[in-house]
Amino acid sequence: MEKITSVGVVETQYFTCNEEIKLECGDTLKPVTVAYETYGKLNQAKDNAILILHALSGNAHAAGYHNEEDKKPGWWEDMIGPGKAFDTDKYCLICSNFLGGCSGTTGPSSINPKTNRPYASDFPVITIEDMVKIQVKLVDHLGIDKLLSVAGGSMGGMQALEWAISYPYKIKSCIVIASTSRLSAQGIAFNEVGRKAITADPFWNNGHYYNEDKKPDKGLALARMVAHITYLSEESMHQKFGRRLQDKVNLDFSFDIDFQVESYLRHQGKSFVGRFDANSYLYITKAMDYFDLVEKHGSLCNAFNKVLAKFLIISYTTDWLFPPVQSKEIVRALMNMDKEVTYCDIDSPFGHDAFLLEAERQTKIIKSFLKDIS
Amino acid sequence: MNEHYKKSQGLHLNYAVISDFIAEGSKVLDLGCGSGDLLYLLKEKKNAQGRGVEIDNDNVIQCIEKGLSVFQGDIDEGLKEYQDQSYDYVILNQTLQCTHKPDYVIQEMLRVGKKIVISFPNFAYWKVRNDLFFGGRMPKSKILPFEWYNTPNIHLVTIKDFREFCEKREITILKEVLTTRAEVKTSIFHKLFANLLTEEVIFVISNKVQCL
């Protein structure tokens, strides 16, 4: 019999928080609906839950399939399941779509109860702190006092750090992969190009395009193409595409697609448009840009002053968007504050995307780390 | 007592010696901590607040499995992640001779730690001399098992060399434990001919004059 390694068919669930949520910008939101999925069983003591935090373009569907015919599993299928890093035989995994998203949780495409129309650009500017605030409501709703761990890569890692700092009594451990305590100028720059691509699209219409036939698809696709380059490395692009031509032997001497890498990026842009909302992209990248633990707390050491969790920080050698040196800054501050922290710098050619691709090595590290948390 | 502890207990004489140096509840940084056996021992036996630095991926994973906090990095790049005088002890066990810049590593250790524990195989041990003198070949032994072309031991050193280094750099030697064939040697005779008779040595050094 084949060994079962997937959680199988799963269903997205919804929780609506009817409390008024006060946001960092000063505005309030009510109600907030949260889309989430769970994998594995919550034990009676409710102390085996791990919250998985997704990155920019992720969603609540982290593992398994939505129906029998579904060909594409959740975004972290390699890491979540029976016997995997996040072992569903042992732990109960929770993953929710974050605030401002477009995959079930309240965001700019949701209906504003005051106008009965989509929020669009009336949606308040949200932050990582706000996202975590909503996640806390969900975890409370599920009756969990303390999470065994929170874990996330990239922007998910920012949320994990926010959990550790703002809710120290609510988590036992914190796994931060390919992330940072503040996005670099380079990171902000790329996000701005992405936003500009969207807002420069004539169909963006100041965000009010939900009831129109044409949407800012071209702008969103372009934003994704630019961003996708930052997720790869020079080495991985060379390996994957080199200078190989796409379905042709000779150059075209035109502006059509010549190279495989062009075709790949266009495909990435096109398929992204089908599953993502342009306004969400604007809000989420802004939240990422605003995240700055040093600015907020005076210093990283101050930020980590009250944390209680045991930390695991992982970086990837060829990640230039969230480079290892930024992970080391976090580790240094934690060590200086005498907190328990383990740091692994994994040698991988895959750039920032490694956190989604290097399942095998990541699994060994995370499994060992979680074994000691109880 | 769990399996890690039992395993590490009988492993090395220098683990036991080093463990004796370390005061209860100390903050300890182990450089090149390998699979974390010494750190684990110190944590269990001395209630030490132990941290490790290790470059090898598999070793790091073994450390994590033991519940240790470990930093994956290269000690030759220095200890810039660590604050001045932030550890009671910084340990470099059987690793000095593998470093590219031993003087820099020692200088960094003295910056970060109040006391430094360094152990290394003594290259002036009579058997080593014997190998070279009579055999005419690069010495090989249990402690130095490699061939000349694949050895990580690139900065081999003798007790005399190390003492001289400490004197030149105004480093205080607080303690010197001589071991040969897995036994601590304390006789006056042995101490008199320490450089000739000692297979492995463990130094405790410090920047300031301190009593252990």
Side-chain angles (χ1 to χ4, degrees):
Chain A
M1 209 177 91
E2 204 183 326
K3 207 178 149 211
I4 298 163
T5 58
S6 178
V7 295
V9 175
V10 293
E11 202 183 329
T12 307
Q13 300 172 71
Y14 297 89
F15 153 66
T16 298
C17 175
N18 284 312
E19 269 174 69
E20 192 171 73
I21 305 291
K22 189 140 200 307
L23 303 170
E24 206 181 340
C25 68
D27 287 357
T28 55
L29 267 181
K30 185 188 160 180
V32 174
T33 297
V34 182
Y36 70 98
E37 294 188 3
T38 64
Y39 324 105
K41 276 205 180 86
L42 187 63
N43 64 15
Q44 230 165 7
K46 296 191 174 183
D47 61 3
N48 69 332
I50 298 174
L51 184 68
I52 301 292
L53 304 155
H54 69 74
L56 199 165
S57 63
N59 51 40
H61 184 41
Y65 299 84
H66 274 161
N67 55 60
E68 299 287 348
E69 281 79 44
D70 195 356
K71 283 200 177 69
K72 210 169 163 255
W75 60 269
W76 229 8
E77 173 74 6
D78 288 344
M79 295 292 289
I80 302 167
K84 293 181 183 171
F86 298 103
D87 191 344
T88 47
D89 290 337
K90 284 187 194 161
Y91 312 116
C92 171
L93 283 304
I94 307 160
C95 183
S96 68
N97 184 213
F98 54 43
L99 184 68
C102 50
S103 308
T105 294
T106 300
S109 59
S110 306
I111 299 295
N112 181 350
K114 284 179 193 151
T115 60
N116 272 328
R117 283 169 41 199
Y119 280 102
S121 29
D122 292 336
F123 196 72
V125 171
I126 40 124
T127 63
I128 301 285
E129 184 188 298
D130 298 328
M131 292 175 176
V132 170
K133 204 175 272 175
I134 302 298
Q135 288 157 4
V136 172
K137 297 282 178 211
L138 170 68
V139 169
D140 286 348
H141 163 76
L142 296 172
I144 298 158
D145 287 336
K146 200 167 193 171
L147 291 162
L148 187 81
S149 196
V150 291
S154 190
M155 199 179 173
M158 292 176 169
Q159 297 158 59
L161 289 171
E162 180 62 31
W163 264 93
I165 292 166
S166 295
Y167 305 92
Y169 291 99
K170 282 191 169 289
I171 63 168
K172 285 182 184 160
S173 66
C174 180
I175 302 174
V176 179
I177 309 169
S179 194
T180 182
S181 60
R182 49 173 168 178
L183 197 63
S184 65
Q186 197 182 30
I188 296 171
F190 277 109
N191 278 345
E192 172 58 11
V193 174
R195 283 191 295 266
K196 201 71 204 160
I198 291 168
T199 55
D201 187 317
F203 298 113
W204 179 60
N205 194 26
N206 284 318
H208 297 280
Y209 53 78
Y210 293 109
N211 296 321
E212 306 296 327
D213 291 339
K214 298 260 191 184
K215 296 183 169 51
D217 292 347
K218 280 189 175 153
L220 181 60
L222 182 55
R224 179 63 170 176
M225 283 169 77
V226 173
H228 209 89
I229 300 169
T230 68
Y231 305 152
L232 307 176
S233 70
E234 200 271 331
E235 193 184 338
S236 66
M237 276 185 141
H238 175 74
Q239 271 179 19
K240 207 166 176 174
F241 314 107
R243 289 184 55 86
R244 284 188 294 278
L245 301 180
Q246 181 70 25
D247 304 324
K248 61 179 72 164
V249 190
N250 298 310
L251 295 174
D252 259 354
F253 293 93
S254 79
F255 294 112
D256 282 344
I257 288 175
D258 284 310
F259 298 98
Q260 280 183 8
V261 65
E262 294 175 285
S263 163
Y264 174 81
L265 284 179
R266 284 198 199 185
H267 170 76
Q268 288 297 329
K270 218 170 151 188
S271 62
F272 191 59
V273 165
R275 67 179 179 91
F276 218 81
D277 175 46
N279 282 334
S280 270
Y281 197 89
L282 300 179
Y283 280 94
I284 294 165
T285 52
K286 222 25 178 189
M288 194 196 271
D289 291 358
Y290 279 5
F291 186 69
D292 186 344
L293 293 178
V294 179
E295 168 72 25
K296 192 168 168 185
H297 299 272
S299 74
L300 262 191
C301 287
N302 268 350
F304 294 133
N305 191 17
K306 288 186 180 133
V307 303
L308 298 167
K310 196 170 171 178
F311 282 80
L312 173 64
I313 313 285
I314 299 174
S315 65
Y316 286 95
T317 50
T318 54
D319 184 349
W320 53 278
L321 189 61
F322 293 79
V325 62
Q326 292 183 359
S327 286
K328 281 186 199 172
E329 269 174 29
I330 297 170
V331 177
R332 186 189 307 147
L334 284 166
M335 285 195 304
N336 288 342
M337 298 308 287
D338 278 340
K339 308 296 178 184
E340 288 290 336
V341 54
T342 281
Y343 169 65
C344 296
D345 186 27
I346 301 180
D347 191 12
S348 158
F350 299 121
H352 184 56
D353 253 359
F355 87 92
L356 295 169
L357 301 170
E358 288 282 4
E360 203 182 314
R361 283 192 279 180
Q362 222 164 236
T363 296
K364 273 190 196 159
I365 294 166
I366 291 174
K367 245 190 181 174
S368 312
F369 178 76
L370 287 175
K371 212 166 80 180
D372 199 57
I373 313 288
S374 55
Chain B
M1 210 192 295
N2 70 31
E3 61 183 309
H4 295 311
Y5 187 67
K6 273 186 222 155
K7 225 167 107 189
S8 55
Q9 226 185 7
L11 255 177
H12 286 298
L13 172 66
N14 50 0
Y15 286 6
V17 174
I18 292 171
S19 169
D20 276 349
F21 295 153
I22 309 289
E24 184 80 19
S26 298
K27 246 181 108 180
V28 179
L29 181 65
D30 187 2
L31 304 179
C33 64
S35 53
D37 290 332
L38 175 61
L39 265 184
Y40 192 82
L41 182 85
L42 295 175
K43 211 174 148 186
E44 292 289 295
K45 238 178 126 177
K46 293 293 178 108
N47 199 23
Q49 196 191 332
R51 299 284 168 84
V53 179
E54 173 59 35
I55 194 165
D56 179 73
N57 205 50
D58 293 335
N59 278 338
V60 168
I61 290 169
Q62 286 193 52
C63 288
I64 300 171
E65 274 179 348
K66 294 183 181 112
L68 300 168
S69 287
V70 51
F71 182 94
Q72 187 168 21
D74 185 352
I75 53 177
D76 269 314
E77 286 171 13
L79 303 173
K80 57 178 183 292
E81 322 298 337
Y82 301 86
Q83 284 178 319
D84 294 1
Q85 301 293 294
S86 53
Y87 282 83
D88 297 317
Y89 299 90
V90 180
I91 301 171
L92 189 65
N93 187 29
Q94 291 292 343
T95 312
L96 180 69
Q97 72 280 1
C98 307
T99 59
H100 286 256
K101 295 171 277 186
D103 52 344
Y104 175 62
V105 171
I106 292 171
Q107 180 195 318
E108 277 286 90
M109 289 174 77
L110 286 164
R111 178 181 67 75
V112 171
K114 291 168 191 149
K115 284 173 188 163
I116 306 305
V117 181
I118 292 180
S119 78
F120 57 84
N122 173 29
F123 207 65
Y125 181 46
W126 70 268
K127 271 192 165 176
V128 174
R129 299 185 193 204
N130 192 61
D131 269 14
L132 193 60
F133 192 80
F134 292 108
R137 288 199 177 92
M138 281 304 281
K140 269 169 66 180
S141 66
K142 249 189 196 164
I143 310 178
L144 299 166
F146 300 96
E147 298 288 348
W148 64 271
Y149 48 81
N150 63 7
T151 181
N153 302 317
I154 52 171
H155 279 118
L156 290 154
V157 52
T158 72
I159 294 175
K160 230 174 170 174
D161 288 326
F162 193 79
R163 285 178 187 155
E164 212 176 275
F165 172 85
C166 290
E167 205 183 313
K168 269 189 194 158
R169 305 264 171 145
E170 292 179 339
I171 295 165
T172 313
I173 296 175
L174 299 167
K175 207 162 195 159
E176 191 180 308
V177 177
L178 313 168
T179 73
T180 301
R181 291 190 204 167
E183 253 178 59
V184 176
K185 299 291 184 185
T186 52
S187 71
I188 296 170
F189 179 75
H190 192 104
K191 280 183 180 166
L192 209 57
F193 299 100
N195 202 31
L196 185 67
L197 299 177
T198 305
E199 196 175 11
E200 240 186 301
V201 62
I202 304 161
F203 281 99
V204 182
I205 59 174
S206 139
N207 249 337
K208 292 169 236 141
V209 185
Q210 281 176 355
C211 295
L212 198 69

